[in-house]
Amino acid sequence: MLGLFYNKEMNNSKEYKYKLPLNDQIEYSTSNNSLIIIGANGSGKSKLGAWIEQQDMENVHRIGAQRSLNFGDFIELKSREQAENSLLYGVDNIENNNSYRKKLVRWDYGEFTTKLLNDYRDVLSLMIAIKNQIHDKYIKECKEKEKNKQEYDKVPDTVIDKLIRIWNNIFPQREIDFTDAKVTTKLKNAVGDIISYKGKEMSDGERVALYLIAQCLCIPENKTIIIDEPEIHLHRSIMNKLWTEIEKERKDCFFIYITHDTQFAANHKNADKVWVKEYDGENWKIEKIEQNNGLPEQLLLDIMGSRKKVLFVEGTAESYDTQLYSVIYKDYYVIPCGGCSSVINFTKAMKDNAQLHHLECYGLIDRDYRTEEEIESLKAKGIYTIDVAEVENLFLVEELLLVINDILSPGDSKVENIKNKIIEFYQSQKDTQICKAIVAELKHKLSTIDINKKGKEQVKQVLKDGFRDISFDSIKEEKQNIFDLSTEYKEVLKLFNQKRVSHIVMENFGIRDYEQFVIGQLQGDKSEEIIEAIKKYLPEAIKI
């Protein structure tokens, strides 16, 4: 059986069951009422959805990715039986009780993943039929109670009431109405006038939302509902909200979403998740996604989908770090993490994640003011530093300046003047740089003091001893000597942590935004020369 086919109550929550061709086990159970099947395009997700449906045609209703969004001015009125048969089986008069054969009609006898579903009119007809049946029953009961001088019950909710409730949460600025078997939408314009338009004139997003809400609300009780590509035509701002609202109204049903959208999967928190790695035409490689342990879920899903070696770097998607490293490390999935602490944490979390052991993983961070001891300690964890103080200094290395000089000023070398100016600037900032290096060293030493699993008094003593063992004078003397002795250009770039240095290059070459100019040249004829110039300052352990 598939779905929640015996509605087992456990601690006031339902147990839902589903089937997957995963390992030797076929049937799984969960207390969540949704499952997300995620994978790249071409990985066989839709065929897997069809396979799940075919395991129990009677209890599974699948909404294919190929679906028409067209319907007419008026909703065709049918009996509930006719309308339900049309939606579930594709014809309104079913005499054959074989559920598999009935479903074959809906899918054109085998076009399980390629058939364009043209059932918008059917679902609207069923929605009206269910409403009419409920209202007829209620009126009959009211007349009976009136006859016996009894009080009436409240008017029961219909599918339309539930649909409008969901619609109002998703589209608060637009009203939807189904009076006189017509779909009408109303909204206020900028001056406060009410504008009314026909349902068939709604936007793609509105029409698909109406279609999906109606489908899920009209399906009989205790079914499994499979939705292939639930994100089609839906804006990200409403996508998860829509499905959350639908699930609330249909807690009796089990929802299976088939998607390649990692953001949708990550944001849909209360759901089981499986990754479809590949499909050979007969069998799938599927992996159940465990709760993450240190990696944001969307990042975990993106990594699983990329199948590349992973390189965590500092910065944002727009920063120089990411732009530069993405070109140099073409065979890696380069992931910007913000600060260096996030690079360290994500690298450690990925290495500790058993699901990702098949992928190589590295962290790459700025040298900053780290000591050789710190750098070696980080290497042991798969985290490497560049051989200059910060990524901006990679744009200042002599080898790269020579390449850029040939582009901008051939025959007139400006490199020596640029180097001398940068060294002068470094000398003017040296005292500030020494202070920053001392602070960085103190922070590092304090961070190595172990206060885990110690009581309050023990922590006080450990910190006291730690402070006592830190010699400020020796740190100051050490840093002073390092900075005083570093007068060579290469050594200056290894120490000088100052983001305003590139203005010297821009003044000499007469260009604006020097770093962006170099990034642009990486797309041209000089790209190999630029990479060769920079790679000398990158860790050899991370192969380019």
Side-chain angles (χ1 to χ4, degrees), residues 55-101:
Q55 304 312 296
D56 191 343
M57 296 285 247
E58 185 64 32
N59 288 301
V60 180
H61 180 74
R62 183 165 59 91
I63 304 169
Q66 308 295 325
R67 45 197 184 238
S68 171
L69 298 180
N70 297 317
F71 59 93
D73 289 328
F74 296 94
I75 301 171
E76 186 179 355
L77 299 182
K78 297 181 178 180
S79 71
R80 178 167 182 171
E81 182 180 358
Q82 281 181 307
E84 196 163 89
N85 283 336
S86 292
L87 181 64
L88 299 181
Y89 307 119
V91 288
D92 59 12
N93 185 15
I94 293 289
E95 294 180 1
N96 190 333
N97 289 324
N98 184 309
S99 59
Y100 188 86
R101 288 191 61 79

Side-chain angles (χ1 to χ4, degrees), residues 254-435:
F254 185 66
F255 291 81
I256 298 178
Y257 304 102
I258 298 173
T259 184
H260 60 263
D261 191 320
T262 56
Q263 185 173 329
F264 169 73
N267 289 341
H268 213 71
K269 300 296 183 185
N270 297 319
D272 283 16
K273 297 180 177 81
V274 295
W275 185 273
V276 182
K277 293 182 175 180
E278 59 183 80
Y279 177 60
D280 63 9
E282 292 183 7
N283 301 297
W284 292 268
K285 284 188 179 178
I286 303 171
E287 187 170 347
K288 202 161 186 193
I289 300 171
E290 306 300 334
Q291 291 297 315
N292 77 81
N293 48 5
L295 290 172
E297 191 168 36
Q298 186 177 345
L299 178 56
L300 173 65
L301 296 170
D302 287 339
I303 290 170
M304 292 180 75
S306 77
R307 304 178 189 178
K308 285 185 173 183
K309 294 177 284 188
V310 173
L311 181 62
F312 294 108
V313 301
E314 297 184 64
T316 65
E318 296 77 29
S319 67
Y320 297 134
D321 313 53
T322 310
Q323 293 183 65
L324 183 64
Y325 296 144
S326 293
V327 176
I328 294 175
Y329 294 102
K330 291 186 177 73
D331 296 331
Y332 292 76
Y333 179 26
V334 177
I335 301 172
C337 303
C340 64
S341 60
S342 293
V343 173
I344 294 167
N345 291 336
F346 286 173
T347 306
K348 182 179 182 303
M350 181 166 170
K351 286 183 175 295
D352 290 343
N353 191 315
Q355 288 187 298
L356 303 175
H357 278 178
H358 62 290
L359 295 174
E360 287 185 46
C361 163
Y362 303 95
L364 184 59
I365 56 177
D366 294 350
R367 185 184 184 90
D368 287 325
Y369 300 104
R370 292 182 173 84
T371 64
E372 291 301 324
E373 179 189 3
E374 284 181 75
I375 290 169
E376 289 303 314
S377 174
L378 288 168
K379 280 183 185 178
K381 301 171 185 174
I383 299 141
Y384 296 86
T385 56
I386 56 179
D387 207 25
V388 290
E390 57 183 349
V391 70
E392 284 80 3
N393 288 9
L394 288 175
F395 293 86
L396 305 174
V397 298
E398 183 175 2
E399 295 86 343
L400 177 59
L401 290 176
L402 290 168
V403 175
I404 300 303
N405 195 99
D406 285 345
I407 297 171
L408 295 175
S409 185
D412 178 19
S413 180
K414 302 177 182 294
V415 174
E416 284 301 316
N417 186 52
I418 290 171
K419 286 166 56 183
N420 291 334
K421 290 287 185 184
I422 289 174
I423 291 171
E424 285 177 24
F425 188 34
Y426 162 73
Q427 294 291 347
S428 71
Q429 298 288 314
K430 191 165 65 175
D431 288 344
T432 302
Q433 293 288 305
I434 291 169
C435 289

